[in-house]
Amino acid sequence: MKVGIGQDSHKFDLNNTQKKFILGGVVFDGVTPLAGNSDADVVLHALTNAISGVTGVNILGEIADKMCLENGITDSSAYVLEALKYLDNIKIVHVSITIECSYPKISPKIAEMQKVIGELLGLPENSVGITATTGEGLTAFGQGKGIQAFCCVTAL
């Protein structure tokens, strides 16, 4: 058994009115987007980092920068799929994700995110756990300045 832990965070891009806010592969309409070269999906970035923790191959950084900046691939699901290529004979069996923010409200979209992430990983939705917290407003994320996500991947 292997366990990988991933984290990512982005601040809100208050000046961008063209970009969409995407979290866990799901578009949240009417929400201020996150700043970043890609779609800035902190959930899928944390997932990519967690998979990298299992494989030992870092995707976010040089590989994702090439995909994004040179090839124009800004959909973070592509980074997850790239990370999955390095699993060899290892199979992900469970994913747990925690999101910290005060905005937007996450709970109405959890089931949709579980479905999207489950499909990406080839897992049933009940093998994708997602929780959300405001952190009682103690961090910049709980104070509404951005979003942070943590992800734990269990693989056999």
Side-chain angles (χ1 to χ4, degrees):
M1 176 188 293
K2 290 188 174 194
V3 175
I5 299 171
Q7 183 275 343
D8 193 49
S9 59
H10 286 267
K11 64 182 178 178
F12 287 108
D13 188 346
L14 303 173
N15 299 316
N16 192 332
T17 57
Q18 305 303 313
K19 191 175 185 178
K20 293 182 184 220
F21 177 91
I22 302 173
L23 201 60
V26 175
V27 174
F28 287 58
D29 291 322
V31 176
T32 304
L34 294 169
N37 292 325
S38 69
D39 58 17
D41 186 332
V42 295
V43 168
L44 294 187
H45 290 184
L47 174 59
T48 301
N49 282 334
I51 297 168
S52 291
V54 169
T55 65
V57 178
N58 291 328
I59 301 302
L60 296 185
E62 190 174 323
I63 293 172
D65 283 350
K66 183 176 182 179
M67 292 173 71
C68 178
L69 302 174
E70 293 179 25
N71 301 326
I73 300 169
T74 59
D75 181 346
S76 293
S77 64
Y79 311 146
V80 174
L81 294 174
E82 183 67 23
L84 292 173
K85 291 178 183 178
Y86 296 92
L87 282 173
D88 294 325
N89 294 323
I90 302 167
K91 170 130 175 76
I92 294 173
V93 295
H94 188 267
V95 175
S96 180
I97 298 164
T98 297
I99 303 163
E100 183 183 359
C101 63
S102 66
Y103 162 85
K105 197 82 164 135
I106 302 300
S107 55
K109 297 280 194 175
I110 286 177
E112 194 175 348
M113 286 190 281
Q114 287 173 303
K115 182 176 191 233
V116 168
I117 293 167
E119 288 173 356
L120 264 175
L121 301 177
L123 292 175
E125 293 167 36
N126 66 357
S127 291
V128 179
I130 300 176
T131 59
T133 182
T134 64
E136 300 299 324
L138 295 173
T139 67
F141 309 106
Q143 295 165 8
K145 297 178 183 173
I147 298 182
Q148 175 170 238
F150 291 93
C151 180
C152 182
V153 168
T154 306
L156 300 173

